[in-house]
Amino acid sequence: MGIAGIAVGLEREALAQALVEQAMPELLSERDLENALQVAIDSRRSSFVVRVIAALRSLHPHSQLLRTVDGREAGRSGDYERAANLLEGSASPEQREVGRVFKLLHDVISNGGLADPLATSRDLVAGEPRWGAAIVKEVLKTLERQGRRDEGIEMLFAGLVPWTEDWFTSARGLIERSLASGSTAMTEEKFELLLDTAATLLAQHPDSSSVRVDVSALFRC
């Protein structure tokens, strides 16, 4: 697994996958299969990840890394209760902290906290500043799942989270889907704010191409 991990680090994902898959029939211990799964995750090759997860789940269904993977996947799909239950029982303090945040989201949403998503998000960000951007991102995803995308667009421009390159990229997907749906939530004023934000980010990071790509994509919508 050591050579496969080095291959991923050198952006040789295909080589890493080939090495792991060649070794898979001999990987029986929980530690070896967890190492293989970590290589697969780092390679960002979804079909590869699925195959290693299946092998690990078959032999070691109570694996801590498997628990983390399942918890994170539950969080991505919006099942915050399951995500919290899985991650709060993790052996990793970092994963337990993520589980705590998912539990907070579950409690807020299940108790009607999104009746006023902007006010609720302000309170959550104020109480959990370290997790502010992640919490707002999950609230936006939840609103979109509930068919409330326009409210999410309003939240993007409410000043809840500083506009960084990562946040700009995250916002792009929501804005693209809003435009594609024919919604008028993205007003001329909001586009002007978006362009001002992009100009500021480009001035701060002149060598970065991500913002340029995101802006170009939005104006092709």
Side-chain angles (χ1 to χ4, degrees), residues 36 87 91 106 136-137 161 196 201 211:
L87 294 176
H106 167 70
V136 173
K137 187 181 295 184
V161 177
D196 288 344
L201 289 172
V211 175

Side-chain angles (χ1 to χ4, degrees), residues 26 30 96 190:
E26 300 176 8
E30 183 173 353
R96 289 199 299 272
K190 289 186 176 66

Side-chain angles (χ1 to χ4, degrees), residues 11 31 33 39 45 52 82 91 93 95 118 124 153 156 159 202-203 205:
E11 299 184 355
R31 180 177 179 180
L33 283 167
V39 170
R45 293 181 163 221
V52 182
R82 181 168 186 264
Q95 298 304 324
L118 181 55
L124 289 172
I153 293 293
L156 277 181
L202 287 171
H205 308 282

Side-chain angles (χ1 to χ4, degrees), residues 24 37 41 48-58 66 69-70:
M24 282 289 287
L37 178 54
I41 291 169
F48 179 26
V49 172
V50 168
R51 286 196 292 276
V52 182
I53 285 176
L56 179 57
R57 198 183 302 279
S58 173
L66 196 57
V69 168
D70 289 344

Side-chain angles (χ1 to χ4, degrees), residues 16-63:
Q17 180 173 349
L19 289 170
V20 171
E21 291 184 335
Q22 183 179 9
M24 282 289 287
E26 300 176 8
L27 300 181
L28 299 176
S29 75
E30 183 173 353
R31 180 177 179 180
D32 283 346
L33 283 167
E34 285 188 340
N35 287 339
L37 178 54
Q38 191 59 61
V39 170
I41 291 169
D42 291 343
S43 77
R44 301 183 297 280
R45 293 181 163 221
S46 57
S47 60
F48 179 26
V49 172
V50 168
R51 286 196 292 276
V52 182
I53 285 176
L56 179 57
R57 198 183 302 279
S58 173
L59 293 174
H60 305 284
H62 303 297
S63 152

Side-chain angles (χ1 to χ4, degrees), residues 27-187:
L27 300 181
L28 299 176
S29 75
E30 183 173 353
R31 180 177 179 180
D32 283 346
L33 283 167
E34 285 188 340
N35 287 339
L37 178 54
Q38 191 59 61
V39 170
I41 291 169
D42 291 343
S43 77
R44 301 183 297 280
R45 293 181 163 221
S46 57
S47 60
F48 179 26
V49 172
V50 168
R51 286 196 292 276
V52 182
I53 285 176
L56 179 57
R57 198 183 302 279
S58 173
L59 293 174
H60 305 284
H62 303 297
S63 152
Q64 281 293 316
L65 181 55
L66 196 57
R67 186 185 192 100
T68 296
V69 168
D70 289 344
R72 294 284 192 159
E73 180 57 32
R76 278 191 293 273
S77 67
D79 189 347
Y80 300 126
E81 182 176 25
R82 181 168 186 264
N85 289 338
L86 285 167
L87 294 176
E88 284 190 313
S90 171
S92 162
E94 179 185 354
Q95 298 304 324
R96 289 199 299 272
E97 175 68 0
V98 175
R100 182 186 67 80
V101 175
F102 279 134
K103 184 177 188 306
L104 175 63
L105 282 163
H106 167 70
D107 290 347
V108 167
I109 293 169
S110 62
N111 287 305
L114 294 190
D116 186 343
L118 181 55
T120 296
S121 296
R122 288 194 193 281
D123 290 343
L124 289 172
V125 171
E128 300 284 347
R130 176 189 170 195
W131 295 97
I135 287 172
V136 173
K137 187 181 295 184
E138 293 303 324
V139 171
L140 293 175
K141 287 163 61 177
T142 300
L143 289 174
E144 191 164 15
R145 291 188 194 101
Q146 295 177 351
R148 301 165 65 187
R149 187 186 291 123
D150 286 357
E151 292 176 72
I153 293 293
E154 293 301 320
M155 282 182 57
L156 277 181
F157 296 90
L160 290 169
V161 177
W163 283 86
T164 62
E165 289 182 89
D166 287 343
W167 187 248
F168 198 99
T169 298
S170 296
R172 169 188 161 183
L174 180 61
I175 294 170
E176 282 182 328
R177 291 188 293 276
S178 175
L179 294 171
S181 73
S183 168
T184 58
M186 276 300 297
T187 62

